[in-house]
Amino acid sequence: MMMDFVDGRVIESAQTASSLSATQAGEISQELVDTLARLHAVDPAAAGLDQLGKPAGYLQRQVKRWGEQWQITKTRELPEIETLHAWLETAITKVPESLPTSIVHGDYRIDNVILGRDKSEIVSVLDWEMSTLGDPISDLAISLVYWSQATDTLRKKIPVAEDVTSGLGFWSRQQVLDRYVSQTGLDISHLDECVALACFKLAVIMESIHHRNLSGQQLGAAAGAQSTMGEATVALTELGLAVTRQGAIEALNN
């Protein structure tokens, strides 16, 4: 795989985002959604990526994989996450297997793209480590969980792209959802299941970082953030359970 330097900007913090005008924030919001829609419209076979993954049973495998990862990395008993996992095990089996599949990025958010130096255009998408073939709505779901709004409470306890899209001009989650549907025409009847799964997945990832911090093995910016990562696991679990009761957008807006 070849890697090249891409010139541009990364909006990785609320401070960086604060330099944007309301117009620019709106343009970037639309570009983020439209780029995801274009990714999901790519024919994997035509792009030579038909061996990237096995789309059949993708959601079921995700529930199983992250459930197993929780058992490996948990640092304490957390009955609420077990409840969320049990709900997912049942709910995902009811999602039709005939739904469309696509390339899935797996970690699509504002600080994982490079914008043009002087434009709101995305010139590169970064961090493809979790990319595969699967359900495109799972990508939309994790993007909605990462999205932030000024009135959020639980989202503020998740130390990833904190408040980056909370400023003036950035779209609401509902606007993100509406634009994605208008651009793709995809069935989002299982959005709640996918958002609950995204919360569960990210809760397990935060717990994995918390586990490595406690053992002194975590490297990088997250090193030493034991309490923050531990709190994030709980907050994401609460978000996921709220989704099961209230629906995706209403729960995420808590």
Side-chain angles (χ1 to χ4, degrees):
M1 178 182 293
M2 293 183 62
M3 298 180 65
D4 296 316
F5 173 78
V6 177
D7 184 49
R9 300 170 292 156
V10 176
I11 309 299
E12 84 289 354
S13 67
Q15 182 178 4
T16 307
S18 67
S19 65
L20 302 170
S21 69
T23 298
Q24 290 171 322
E27 291 172 348
I28 291 169
S29 298
Q30 179 172 316
E31 178 69 1
L32 280 163
V33 180
D34 289 359
T35 298
L36 186 61
R38 289 194 295 272
L39 170 65
H40 292 162
V42 171
D43 181 343
L49 297 172
D50 51 319
Q51 300 301 311
L52 184 61
K54 298 178 180 179
Y58 170 75
L59 293 176
Q60 290 87 343
R61 289 197 306 276
Q62 286 285 294
V63 172
K64 183 175 185 291
R65 172 190 175 186
W66 294 106
E68 291 171 347
Q69 187 64 30
W70 169 254
Q71 296 302 323
I72 293 170
T73 61
K74 65 180 179 180
T75 64
R76 61 264 162 93
E77 295 302 321
L78 194 61
E80 292 82 1
I81 203 168
E82 302 288 358
T83 299
L84 178 57
H85 183 240
W87 183 90
L88 286 165
E89 286 185 310
T90 299
I92 292 298
T93 62
K94 300 176 183 178
V95 176
E97 293 189 8
S98 58
L99 291 171
T101 60
S102 72
I103 297 169
V104 170
H105 179 274
D107 201 30
Y108 190 80
R109 61 181 197 251
I110 189 171
D111 55 330
N112 270 344
V113 303
I114 299 177
L115 299 165
R117 182 63 61 186
D118 301 310
K119 299 180 180 179
S120 300
E121 176 187 8
I122 292 176
V123 295
S124 184
V125 178
L126 307 173
D127 292 344
W128 292 87
E129 287 88 348
M130 289 192 280
S131 61
T132 186
L133 300 182
D135 188 336
I137 306 306
S138 66
D139 256 353
L140 170 65
I142 205 163
S143 297
L144 290 170
V145 176
Y146 280 133
W147 204 263
S148 62
Q149 297 176 186
T151 55
D152 291 343
T153 54
L154 288 174
R155 172 65 179 89
K156 291 183 183 296
K157 298 181 181 180
I158 304 164
V160 182
E162 298 169 82
D163 275 324
V164 179
T165 59
S166 298
L168 187 65
F170 279 104
W171 286 4
S172 67
R173 293 186 183 93
Q174 186 64 56
Q175 287 175 294
V176 169
L177 175 60
D178 291 345
R179 177 70 180 185
Y180 180 85
V181 172
S182 72
Q183 291 297 103
T184 65
L186 290 174
D187 179 0
I188 60 164
S189 60
H190 62 304
L191 178 65
D192 291 351
E193 289 84 350
C194 286
V195 171
L197 175 55
C199 290
F200 179 70
K201 168 184 172 179
L202 292 176
V204 175
I205 290 173
M206 294 298 110
E207 185 74 1
S208 297
I209 297 172
H210 183 52
H211 181 274
R212 290 195 296 272
N213 268 320
L214 291 175
S215 62
Q217 298 175 344
Q218 179 64 34
L219 303 176
Q226 290 98 328
S227 61
T228 302
M229 294 302 173
E231 290 172 4
T233 298
V234 175
L236 282 158
T237 300
E238 291 180 20
L239 270 177
L241 288 172
V243 170
T244 71
R245 298 188 300 266
Q246 301 171 266
I249 297 300
E250 183 178 351
L252 293 174
N253 289 346
N254 286 335

